[in-house]
Amino acid sequence: MLDAAAIAELANRVDGAQSNRHTIAKLTDDYPGMTVDDGYAVQDECLRRWQARGRALIGYKAGLTSRAKMIQMGVDVPSFGLLMRDTCDAEGGVVPTAGLIHPRVEGEIAYVMARDLSGPAVSIDQVHAATDFIQPAIEILDSRFEKFRFDLPSVVADNGSSARFVMGGRMRRPDDVDPATIGIVLEINGEAAALACSGAVLGHPARAVQMLVAWLHERGRILPAGSVVLTGAATEAMPIAKGDIVCARFQDMGSINVRID
C-alpha cells in the first residue's frame, strides 16, 4: 500500500485533472507498485475533498461488468466508482461536455434503492426487495489519461472515468419487467450506434448491485436507501461531440433524449 503522502499527491493529480480539464499520465508510470486498493484510497481521498466543498454523494457506478472485460483486466469483480449529485443532468436537456477530453456515451440500467442493503452475500431477490425502481440511464465517460493510456489502478483512482449521467424513461418495479432481457438501442444523430441487451451486464444487472454491496461490506459500509446504482455499460461506449443528439431506447422502459453541448 502507498503511504498517506503518496495517496494525497495522487489525489491532487486526479482532482486537478477533473477540475481543470487537463490530461495526466497514467499514475503507475510514477508509482509502479500502485495497487487497485491504492486506487480506491485515492478515490476515497478525492471524495473527502469533494464533500468538503459541498458536493453530495448520491450513489455508485460499476465498471468492467462484462466477463470478457474482467478477464482482459485480470479481475473477477467489477470496479466501482462514485456518483456525485452535481454530475446528474436532466432528461430532455443539455449535457455539458465543454472541456471533456475523450467523451463517450453508453446505455445502462440504473437501480434506485428503497431500503438500506448490506452484507457479504446478498441474493438477487434481496436486491430486488430493497429496490424502489429500476430506470434507463446513460453515462458520459471521460478518461483523463494522456493518449487513452491507463491501467486498472489508475482508472479506479480516476473514479472509473466518471463525468456525467442522465436518468429518464419509465421507472419500473424489477418484478414488473425482466431486468436481464431489456433490449437497448443507442442512437446518435438519428443513427443506431449500438445495440445491446441488459443481460450483457454480468448476465443480470442486479449482479452488479450484489457485488457492490459485498465490496462495501468489506470496507465496513452499506448501500444506503435512496442510492442510485449505475450497473455498468450494456452498450459499447460511443464517442460523442458538441452538437450531437443522443437517444437511448429501452424496451418497455421508454427512452432518454439529450443534446450534447
Side-chain angles (χ1 to χ4, degrees):
M1 294 288 289
L2 298 179
D3 62 22
I7 296 298
E9 199 277 326
L10 289 171
N12 286 341
R13 295 190 194 186
V14 170
D15 190 24
Q18 294 182 13
S19 299
N20 300 311
R21 309 299 189 189
H22 64 74
T23 59
I24 53 175
K26 68 182 174 73
L27 305 181
T28 51
D29 285 353
D30 290 334
Y31 293 87
M34 183 181 178
T35 67
V36 172
D37 284 341
D38 291 325
Y40 283 121
V42 174
Q43 193 183 105
D44 286 343
E45 173 59 17
C46 287
L47 176 61
R48 185 192 67 77
R49 298 179 185 196
W50 298 338
Q51 290 177 321
R53 295 176 200 155
R55 301 181 68 192
L57 176 70
I58 60 167
Y60 298 89
K61 53 163 286 179
L64 303 181
T65 49
S66 78
R67 291 296 183 189
K69 192 66 175 178
M70 285 194 286
I71 290 170
Q72 178 186 351
M73 299 299 287
V75 298
D76 56 9
V77 295
S79 63
F80 299 107
L82 311 165
L83 294 179
M84 308 306 291
R85 184 179 302 279
D86 58 5
T87 64
C88 182
D89 296 301
E91 196 281 328
V94 175
V95 176
T97 59
L100 297 190
I101 300 157
H102 305 111
R104 294 171 180 261
V105 63
E106 59 191 27
E108 50 196 281
I109 300 294
Y111 276 67
V112 179
M113 309 312 297
R115 294 190 293 278
D116 294 351
L117 194 58
S118 62
V122 299
S123 67
I124 288 180
D125 286 344
Q126 287 173 309
V127 169
H128 285 172
T131 297
D132 190 2
F133 55 88
I134 64 173
Q135 189 173 9
I138 59 172
E139 184 178 12
I140 310 298
L141 303 173
D142 185 39
S143 173
R144 267 67 65 163
F145 293 108
E146 294 170 355
K147 300 179 181 178
F148 220 60
R149 291 179 58 250
F150 54 81
D151 50 24
L152 188 54
S154 298
V155 79
V156 165
D158 190 36
N159 199 30
S161 303
S162 181
R164 319 290 305 179
F165 71 100
V166 180
M167 296 170 63
R170 296 176 60 193
M171 302 173 187
R172 301 294 299 269
R173 286 283 308 148
D175 296 338
D176 294 337
V177 294
D178 181 357
T181 61
I182 297 166
I184 304 170
V185 180
L186 183 65
E187 299 176 357
I188 300 177
N189 299 325
E191 299 289 336
L195 307 173
C197 173
S198 56
V201 177
L202 301 170
H204 195 302
R207 292 201 176 106
V209 184
Q210 286 180 293
M211 293 179 177
L212 170 63
V213 172
W215 176 78
L216 289 168
H217 178 78
E218 290 176 357
R219 298 160 67 85
R221 303 177 187 176
I222 68 169
L223 181 62
S227 295
V228 175
V229 181
L230 297 185
T231 55
T235 69
E236 297 174 70
M238 304 304 298
I240 50 174
K242 181 180 175 66
D244 284 346
I245 303 297
V246 174
C247 176
R249 304 183 189 276
F250 291 70
Q251 180 184 358
D252 297 325
M253 294 186 71
S255 62
I256 297 172
N257 295 273
V258 295
R259 180 169 62 84
I260 306 303
D261 191 19

Short mmCIF file of all heavy atoms in Angstrom, two decimals, residues 139-195:
data_model
loop_
_atom_site.label_atom_id
_atom_site.label_comp_id
_atom_site.label_asym_id
_atom_site.label_seq_id
_atom_site.Cartn_x
_atom_site.Cartn_y
_atom_site.Cartn_z
N GLU A 139 -24.61 7.11 -19.37
CA GLU A 139 -23.47 7.68 -18.67
C GLU A 139 -22.51 8.27 -19.70
O GLU A 139 -22.28 7.68 -20.76
CB GLU A 139 -22.74 6.64 -17.83
CG GLU A 139 -21.60 7.25 -17.02
CD GLU A 139 -20.86 6.28 -16.12
OE1 GLU A 139 -21.08 5.05 -16.27
OE2 GLU A 139 -20.06 6.73 -15.30
N ILE A 140 -22.00 9.46 -19.38
CA ILE A 140 -20.95 10.09 -20.18
C ILE A 140 -19.63 9.82 -19.47
O ILE A 140 -19.43 10.24 -18.33
CB ILE A 140 -21.16 11.61 -20.32
CG1 ILE A 140 -22.60 11.93 -20.76
CG2 ILE A 140 -20.13 12.19 -21.28
CD1 ILE A 140 -23.00 11.38 -22.09
N LEU A 141 -18.75 9.14 -20.14
CA LEU A 141 -17.43 8.83 -19.61
C LEU A 141 -16.40 9.79 -20.18
O LEU A 141 -16.56 10.31 -21.29
CB LEU A 141 -17.02 7.40 -19.97
CG LEU A 141 -17.97 6.29 -19.53
CD1 LEU A 141 -17.51 4.96 -20.11
CD2 LEU A 141 -18.06 6.22 -18.02
N ASP A 142 -15.33 10.01 -19.41
CA ASP A 142 -14.24 10.85 -19.91
C ASP A 142 -12.94 10.43 -19.25
O ASP A 142 -12.70 10.73 -18.08
CB ASP A 142 -14.52 12.33 -19.62
CG ASP A 142 -13.45 13.23 -20.23
OD1 ASP A 142 -13.01 12.92 -21.36
OD2 ASP A 142 -13.07 14.22 -19.59
N SER A 143 -12.11 9.73 -19.99
CA SER A 143 -10.80 9.37 -19.46
C SER A 143 -9.90 10.59 -19.46
O SER A 143 -9.78 11.29 -20.47
CB SER A 143 -10.17 8.26 -20.31
OG SER A 143 -8.84 8.03 -19.89
N ARG A 144 -9.27 10.83 -18.32
CA ARG A 144 -8.36 11.96 -18.22
C ARG A 144 -6.92 11.59 -18.59
O ARG A 144 -6.00 12.41 -18.46
CB ARG A 144 -8.39 12.51 -16.78
CG ARG A 144 -9.36 13.64 -16.52
CD ARG A 144 -10.82 13.29 -16.62
NE ARG A 144 -11.30 12.35 -15.64
CZ ARG A 144 -12.59 12.15 -15.34
NH1 ARG A 144 -13.53 12.84 -15.96
NH2 ARG A 144 -12.96 11.25 -14.47
N PHE A 145 -6.68 10.39 -19.05
CA PHE A 145 -5.30 9.93 -19.25
C PHE A 145 -4.80 10.21 -20.66
O PHE A 145 -5.51 10.04 -21.65
CB PHE A 145 -5.19 8.44 -18.93
CG PHE A 145 -5.42 8.17 -17.46
CD1 PHE A 145 -6.58 7.57 -17.03
CD2 PHE A 145 -4.48 8.57 -16.52
CE1 PHE A 145 -6.80 7.35 -15.67
CE2 PHE A 145 -4.70 8.36 -15.17
CZ PHE A 145 -5.86 7.75 -14.74
N GLU A 146 -3.54 10.64 -20.73
CA GLU A 146 -2.92 11.00 -22.00
C GLU A 146 -2.95 9.83 -22.97
O GLU A 146 -2.64 8.69 -22.59
CB GLU A 146 -1.46 11.42 -21.77
CG GLU A 146 -1.31 12.70 -20.95
CD GLU A 146 0.12 12.95 -20.54
OE1 GLU A 146 0.98 12.08 -20.81
OE2 GLU A 146 0.38 14.01 -19.93
N LYS A 147 -3.33 10.12 -24.22
CA LYS A 147 -3.33 9.14 -25.30
C LYS A 147 -4.15 7.90 -24.96
O LYS A 147 -3.92 6.82 -25.50
CB LYS A 147 -1.90 8.74 -25.67
CG LYS A 147 -1.04 9.91 -26.13
CD LYS A 147 0.37 9.48 -26.47
CE LYS A 147 1.21 10.68 -26.91
NZ LYS A 147 2.62 10.29 -27.19
N PHE A 148 -5.11 8.08 -24.04
CA PHE A 148 -6.02 6.99 -23.67
C PHE A 148 -5.26 5.80 -23.09
O PHE A 148 -5.67 4.65 -23.21
CB PHE A 148 -6.87 6.57 -24.87
CG PHE A 148 -8.30 6.28 -24.50
CD1 PHE A 148 -9.11 7.25 -23.93
CD2 PHE A 148 -8.84 5.02 -24.72
CE1 PHE A 148 -10.43 6.97 -23.60
CE2 PHE A 148 -10.15 4.73 -24.40
CZ PHE A 148 -10.95 5.72 -23.82
N ARG A 149 -4.11 6.07 -22.44
CA ARG A 149 -3.29 5.03 -21.82
C ARG A 149 -3.58 4.98 -20.32
O ARG A 149 -3.35 5.96 -19.62
CB ARG A 149 -1.81 5.30 -22.04
CG ARG A 149 -1.31 5.16 -23.46
CD ARG A 149 0.17 5.47 -23.57
NE ARG A 149 0.99 4.61 -22.72
CZ ARG A 149 1.64 5.01 -21.63
NH1 ARG A 149 1.56 6.27 -21.23
NH2 ARG A 149 2.37 4.17 -20.94
N PHE A 150 -4.09 3.85 -19.86
CA PHE A 150 -4.35 3.70 -18.43
C PHE A 150 -4.34 2.22 -18.07
O PHE A 150 -4.35 1.34 -18.93
CB PHE A 150 -5.68 4.34 -18.05
CG PHE A 150 -6.86 3.86 -18.85
CD1 PHE A 150 -7.50 2.67 -18.55
CD2 PHE A 150 -7.33 4.61 -19.92
CE1 PHE A 150 -8.58 2.23 -19.30
CE2 PHE A 150 -8.41 4.18 -20.67
CZ PHE A 150 -9.04 2.98 -20.36
N ASP A 151 -4.30 1.95 -16.78
CA ASP A 151 -4.43 0.59 -16.26
C ASP A 151 -5.47 0.62 -15.14
O ASP A 151 -6.02 1.68 -14.82
CB ASP A 151 -3.09 0.04 -15.79
CG ASP A 151 -2.36 0.98 -14.85
OD1 ASP A 151 -3.02 1.83 -14.20
OD2 ASP A 151 -1.12 0.90 -14.77
N LEU A 152 -5.77 -0.54 -14.56
CA LEU A 152 -6.86 -0.61 -13.60
C LEU A 152 -6.64 0.24 -12.35
O LEU A 152 -7.55 0.98 -11.95
CB LEU A 152 -7.14 -2.07 -13.23
CG LEU A 152 -8.38 -2.32 -12.38
CD1 LEU A 152 -9.64 -1.73 -13.01
CD2 LEU A 152 -8.56 -3.82 -12.13
N PRO A 153 -5.47 0.21 -11.70
CA PRO A 153 -5.30 1.08 -10.53
C PRO A 153 -5.50 2.56 -10.87
O PRO A 153 -6.10 3.31 -10.09
CB PRO A 153 -3.86 0.80 -10.08
CG PRO A 153 -3.58 -0.59 -10.56
CD PRO A 153 -4.28 -0.68 -11.88
N SER A 154 -5.02 2.97 -12.05
CA SER A 154 -5.15 4.38 -12.44
C SER A 154 -6.60 4.76 -12.70
O SER A 154 -7.07 5.81 -12.26
CB SER A 154 -4.31 4.66 -13.69
OG SER A 154 -2.94 4.45 -13.45
N VAL A 155 -7.34 3.89 -13.42
CA VAL A 155 -8.72 4.24 -13.76
C VAL A 155 -9.62 4.18 -12.52
O VAL A 155 -10.57 4.96 -12.40
CB VAL A 155 -9.26 3.35 -14.90
CG1 VAL A 155 -9.67 1.97 -14.42
CG2 VAL A 155 -10.40 4.03 -15.63
N VAL A 156 -9.32 3.31 -11.56
CA VAL A 156 -10.07 3.31 -10.30
C VAL A 156 -9.84 4.63 -9.57
O VAL A 156 -10.77 5.26 -9.06
CB VAL A 156 -9.66 2.10 -9.42
CG1 VAL A 156 -10.13 2.29 -7.98
CG2 VAL A 156 -10.25 0.82 -9.99
N ALA A 157 -8.58 5.07 -9.51
CA ALA A 157 -8.27 6.34 -8.85
C ALA A 157 -8.99 7.50 -9.53
O ALA A 157 -9.42 8.45 -8.86
CB ALA A 157 -6.76 6.59 -8.86
N ASP A 158 -9.17 7.40 -10.85
CA ASP A 158 -9.85 8.45 -11.62
C ASP A 158 -11.37 8.25 -11.63
O ASP A 158 -12.07 8.76 -12.48
CB ASP A 158 -9.31 8.45 -13.06
CG ASP A 158 -9.78 9.64 -13.87
OD1 ASP A 158 -9.90 10.75 -13.30
OD2 ASP A 158 -10.05 9.47 -15.07
N ASN A 159 -11.85 7.50 -10.65
CA ASN A 159 -13.29 7.30 -10.44
C ASN A 159 -13.98 6.67 -11.65
O ASN A 159 -15.10 7.06 -12.03
CB ASN A 159 -13.98 8.63 -10.08
CG ASN A 159 -15.33 8.43 -9.42
OD1 ASN A 159 -15.56 7.43 -8.73
ND2 ASN A 159 -16.24 9.37 -9.61
N GLY A 160 -13.29 5.71 -12.25
CA GLY A 160 -13.89 4.97 -13.35
C GLY A 160 -14.26 5.83 -14.54
O GLY A 160 -15.21 5.52 -15.26
N SER A 161 -13.51 6.90 -14.77
CA SER A 161 -13.75 7.82 -15.89
C SER A 161 -15.11 8.51 -15.82
O SER A 161 -15.64 8.98 -16.82
CB SER A 161 -13.62 7.09 -17.25
OG SER A 161 -12.37 6.49 -17.38
N SER A 162 -15.68 8.60 -14.63
CA SER A 162 -17.00 9.23 -14.47
C SER A 162 -16.96 10.69 -14.86
O SER A 162 -16.02 11.42 -14.55
CB SER A 162 -17.44 9.10 -13.01
OG SER A 162 -18.71 9.68 -12.81
N ALA A 163 -18.01 11.14 -15.59
CA ALA A 163 -18.13 12.56 -15.95
C ALA A 163 -19.55 13.07 -15.70
O ALA A 163 -19.77 13.92 -14.86
CB ALA A 163 -17.71 12.78 -17.40
N ARG A 164 -20.54 12.54 -16.43
CA ARG A 164 -21.94 12.97 -16.29
C ARG A 164 -22.83 11.74 -16.41
O ARG A 164 -22.40 10.69 -16.91
CB ARG A 164 -22.37 13.95 -17.39
CG ARG A 164 -21.40 15.02 -17.78
CD ARG A 164 -21.19 16.08 -16.75
NE ARG A 164 -22.43 16.72 -16.29
CZ ARG A 164 -22.45 17.66 -15.34
NH1 ARG A 164 -21.32 18.05 -14.76
NH2 ARG A 164 -23.59 18.22 -14.98
N PHE A 165 -24.08 11.84 -15.96
CA PHE A 165 -25.06 10.78 -16.23
C PHE A 165 -26.45 11.38 -16.25
O PHE A 165 -26.71 12.46 -15.72
CB PHE A 165 -24.94 9.63 -15.23
CG PHE A 165 -25.41 9.92 -13.83
CD1 PHE A 165 -26.67 9.50 -13.39
CD2 PHE A 165 -24.60 10.60 -12.93
CE1 PHE A 165 -27.11 9.76 -12.10
CE2 PHE A 165 -25.03 10.86 -11.63
CZ PHE A 165 -26.29 10.44 -11.21
N VAL A 166 -27.36 10.65 -16.93
CA VAL A 166 -28.74 11.08 -17.10
C VAL A 166 -29.64 9.87 -16.86
O VAL A 166 -29.35 8.78 -17.36
CB VAL A 166 -29.00 11.63 -18.51
CG1 VAL A 166 -30.46 12.08 -18.67
CG2 VAL A 166 -28.06 12.79 -18.84
N MET A 167 -30.71 10.06 -16.11
CA MET A 167 -31.72 9.02 -15.92
C MET A 167 -33.03 9.51 -16.50
O MET A 167 -33.35 10.70 -16.44
CB MET A 167 -31.87 8.70 -14.43
CG MET A 167 -30.60 8.11 -13.84
SD MET A 167 -30.63 7.97 -12.05
CE MET A 167 -31.98 6.80 -11.83
N GLY A 168 -33.80 8.60 -17.11
CA GLY A 168 -35.05 9.01 -17.73
C GLY A 168 -35.89 7.81 -18.08
O GLY A 168 -35.75 6.73 -17.51
N GLY A 169 -36.79 8.00 -19.07
CA GLY A 169 -37.66 6.91 -19.45
C GLY A 169 -38.66 6.58 -18.36
O GLY A 169 -39.03 7.43 -17.54
N ARG A 170 -39.08 5.33 -18.30
CA ARG A 170 -40.09 4.89 -17.34
C ARG A 170 -39.44 4.18 -16.16
O ARG A 170 -38.61 3.29 -16.32
CB ARG A 170 -41.07 3.92 -18.01
CG ARG A 170 -41.89 4.52 -19.13
CD ARG A 170 -42.75 3.45 -19.79
NE ARG A 170 -43.67 2.82 -18.84
CZ ARG A 170 -44.34 1.69 -19.10
NH1 ARG A 170 -44.17 1.08 -20.27
NH2 ARG A 170 -45.16 1.19 -18.20
N MET A 171 -39.84 4.58 -14.96
CA MET A 171 -39.45 3.84 -13.77
C MET A 171 -40.28 2.56 -13.71
O MET A 171 -41.50 2.60 -13.86
CB MET A 171 -39.71 4.67 -12.51
CG MET A 171 -39.00 6.00 -12.48
SD MET A 171 -39.56 6.98 -11.06
CE MET A 171 -38.75 8.54 -11.37
N ARG A 172 -39.63 1.44 -13.46
CA ARG A 172 -40.35 0.17 -13.37
C ARG A 172 -39.91 -0.59 -12.13
O ARG A 172 -38.72 -0.58 -11.75
CB ARG A 172 -40.06 -0.71 -14.61
CG ARG A 172 -40.46 -0.09 -15.95
CD ARG A 172 -41.95 0.10 -16.10
NE ARG A 172 -42.69 -1.15 -16.03
CZ ARG A 172 -42.98 -1.91 -17.09
NH1 ARG A 172 -42.58 -1.53 -18.31
NH2 ARG A 172 -43.67 -3.03 -16.95
N ARG A 173 -40.86 -1.28 -11.52
CA ARG A 173 -40.52 -2.20 -10.46
C ARG A 173 -39.79 -3.39 -11.09
O ARG A 173 -40.18 -3.87 -12.15
CB ARG A 173 -41.78 -2.69 -9.74
CG ARG A 173 -42.41 -1.66 -8.83
CD ARG A 173 -41.63 -1.53 -7.51
NE ARG A 173 -41.43 -2.83 -6.89
CZ ARG A 173 -40.36 -3.17 -6.16
NH1 ARG A 173 -39.40 -2.30 -5.98
NH2 ARG A 173 -40.27 -4.37 -5.63
N PRO A 174 -38.72 -3.89 -10.46
CA PRO A 174 -38.00 -5.01 -11.07
C PRO A 174 -38.84 -6.27 -11.20
O PRO A 174 -38.52 -7.14 -12.02
CB PRO A 174 -36.80 -5.22 -10.13
CG PRO A 174 -37.14 -4.50 -8.87
CD PRO A 174 -38.06 -3.39 -9.24
N ASP A 175 -39.92 -6.39 -10.42
CA ASP A 175 -40.82 -7.54 -10.55
C ASP A 175 -41.75 -7.42 -11.75
O ASP A 175 -42.37 -8.41 -12.16
CB ASP A 175 -41.66 -7.72 -9.28
CG ASP A 175 -40.82 -8.04 -8.05
OD1 ASP A 175 -39.69 -8.53 -8.24
OD2 ASP A 175 -41.27 -7.79 -6.92
N ASP A 176 -41.87 -6.22 -12.31
CA ASP A 176 -42.80 -5.99 -13.43
C ASP A 176 -42.15 -6.17 -14.79
O ASP A 176 -42.85 -6.18 -15.82
CB ASP A 176 -43.40 -4.58 -13.33
CG ASP A 176 -44.29 -4.41 -12.11
OD1 ASP A 176 -44.78 -5.44 -11.59
OD2 ASP A 176 -44.48 -3.26 -11.67
N VAL A 177 -40.84 -6.24 -14.83
CA VAL A 177 -40.09 -6.49 -16.06
C VAL A 177 -39.00 -7.50 -15.73
O VAL A 177 -38.75 -7.79 -14.56
CB VAL A 177 -39.46 -5.20 -16.63
CG1 VAL A 177 -40.52 -4.22 -17.09
CG2 VAL A 177 -38.54 -4.55 -15.61
N ASP A 178 -38.36 -8.02 -16.75
CA ASP A 178 -37.19 -8.86 -16.53
C ASP A 178 -35.95 -8.00 -16.76
O ASP A 178 -35.60 -7.71 -17.90
CB ASP A 178 -37.20 -10.06 -17.48
CG ASP A 178 -36.00 -10.98 -17.25
OD1 ASP A 178 -35.14 -10.65 -16.40
OD2 ASP A 178 -35.92 -12.02 -17.92
N PRO A 179 -35.28 -7.57 -15.68
CA PRO A 179 -34.14 -6.66 -15.87
C PRO A 179 -33.00 -7.24 -16.70
O PRO A 179 -32.13 -6.49 -17.13
CB PRO A 179 -33.68 -6.38 -14.43
CG PRO A 179 -34.88 -6.65 -13.58
CD PRO A 179 -35.57 -7.80 -14.25
N ALA A 180 -33.03 -8.56 -16.91
CA ALA A 180 -31.94 -9.20 -17.65
C ALA A 180 -32.20 -9.31 -19.14
O ALA A 180 -31.32 -9.74 -19.89
CB ALA A 180 -31.66 -10.58 -17.08
N THR A 181 -33.40 -8.94 -19.61
CA THR A 181 -33.73 -9.15 -21.03
C THR A 181 -34.25 -7.88 -21.70
O THR A 181 -35.04 -7.95 -22.63
CB THR A 181 -34.77 -10.28 -21.18
OG1 THR A 181 -35.97 -9.91 -20.49
CG2 THR A 181 -34.24 -11.60 -20.63
N ILE A 182 -33.80 -6.73 -21.24
CA ILE A 182 -34.26 -5.46 -21.80
C ILE A 182 -33.37 -5.09 -23.00
O ILE A 182 -32.16 -4.94 -22.87
CB ILE A 182 -34.21 -4.35 -20.74
CG1 ILE A 182 -35.17 -4.69 -19.59
CG2 ILE A 182 -34.54 -2.99 -21.34
CD1 ILE A 182 -34.98 -3.86 -18.36
N GLY A 183 -34.01 -4.94 -24.16
CA GLY A 183 -33.27 -4.52 -25.34
C GLY A 183 -32.98 -3.03 -25.29
O GLY A 183 -33.80 -2.23 -24.83
N ILE A 184 -31.79 -2.65 -25.73
CA ILE A 184 -31.35 -1.25 -25.68
C ILE A 184 -30.79 -0.86 -27.04
O ILE A 184 -29.96 -1.59 -27.61
CB ILE A 184 -30.27 -1.03 -24.59
CG1 ILE A 184 -30.79 -1.48 -23.22
CG2 ILE A 184 -29.83 0.43 -24.55
CD1 ILE A 184 -29.71 -1.51 -22.15
N VAL A 185 -31.24 0.29 -27.55
CA VAL A 185 -30.69 0.85 -28.78
C VAL A 185 -30.16 2.24 -28.46
O VAL A 185 -30.88 3.09 -27.95
CB VAL A 185 -31.76 0.96 -29.89
CG1 VAL A 185 -31.14 1.55 -31.16
CG2 VAL A 185 -32.39 -0.40 -30.17
N LEU A 186 -28.90 2.46 -28.73
CA LEU A 186 -28.27 3.77 -28.53
C LEU A 186 -28.13 4.44 -29.88
O LEU A 186 -27.44 3.92 -30.77
CB LEU A 186 -26.91 3.59 -27.86
CG LEU A 186 -26.14 4.86 -27.50
CD1 LEU A 186 -26.88 5.67 -26.44
CD2 LEU A 186 -24.74 4.51 -27.00
N GLU A 187 -28.79 5.59 -30.04
CA GLU A 187 -28.75 6.33 -31.29
C GLU A 187 -28.00 7.64 -31.10
O GLU A 187 -28.14 8.32 -30.07
CB GLU A 187 -30.17 6.65 -31.77
CG GLU A 187 -31.03 5.43 -32.06
CD GLU A 187 -32.45 5.81 -32.43
OE1 GLU A 187 -32.78 7.01 -32.42
OE2 GLU A 187 -33.24 4.90 -32.73
N ILE A 188 -27.22 8.01 -32.11
CA ILE A 188 -26.54 9.30 -32.13
C ILE A 188 -26.88 9.97 -33.44
O ILE A 188 -26.66 9.40 -34.52
CB ILE A 188 -25.02 9.14 -31.98
CG1 ILE A 188 -24.69 8.44 -30.65
CG2 ILE A 188 -24.32 10.50 -32.06
CD1 ILE A 188 -23.21 8.17 -30.43
N ASN A 189 -27.52 11.14 -33.33
CA ASN A 189 -27.96 11.90 -34.51
C ASN A 189 -28.86 11.06 -35.42
O ASN A 189 -28.76 11.11 -36.65
CB ASN A 189 -26.75 12.43 -35.28
CG ASN A 189 -25.90 13.36 -34.45
OD1 ASN A 189 -26.42 14.11 -33.62
ND2 ASN A 189 -24.59 13.30 -34.62
N GLY A 190 -29.76 10.31 -34.78
CA GLY A 190 -30.76 9.54 -35.51
C GLY A 190 -30.29 8.24 -36.09
O GLY A 190 -31.09 7.50 -36.69
N GLU A 191 -29.02 7.90 -35.92
CA GLU A 191 -28.47 6.65 -36.44
C GLU A 191 -28.17 5.69 -35.29
O GLU A 191 -27.62 6.10 -34.26
CB GLU A 191 -27.18 6.91 -37.23
CG GLU A 191 -27.36 7.83 -38.43
CD GLU A 191 -28.12 7.15 -39.56
OE1 GLU A 191 -28.11 5.90 -39.62
OE2 GLU A 191 -28.72 7.87 -40.38
N ALA A 192 -28.54 4.43 -35.45
CA ALA A 192 -28.24 3.42 -34.43
C ALA A 192 -26.72 3.24 -34.32
O ALA A 192 -26.05 2.90 -35.29
CB ALA A 192 -28.90 2.10 -34.77
N ALA A 193 -26.21 3.51 -33.13
CA ALA A 193 -24.76 3.42 -32.91
C ALA A 193 -24.39 2.15 -32.16
O ALA A 193 -23.27 1.65 -32.30
CB ALA A 193 -24.27 4.63 -32.13
N ALA A 194 -25.30 1.63 -31.32
CA ALA A 194 -25.01 0.43 -30.54
C ALA A 194 -26.31 -0.25 -30.17
O ALA A 194 -27.31 0.41 -29.87
CB ALA A 194 -24.21 0.78 -29.29
N LEU A 195 -26.29 -1.57 -30.19
CA LEU A 195 -27.42 -2.39 -29.79
C LEU A 195 -26.96 -3.33 -28.68
O LEU A 195 -25.84 -3.84 -28.72
CB LEU A 195 -27.95 -3.22 -30.97
CG LEU A 195 -28.29 -2.50 -32.26
CD1 LEU A 195 -28.63 -3.51 -33.35
CD2 LEU A 195 -29.46 -1.56 -32.04
#
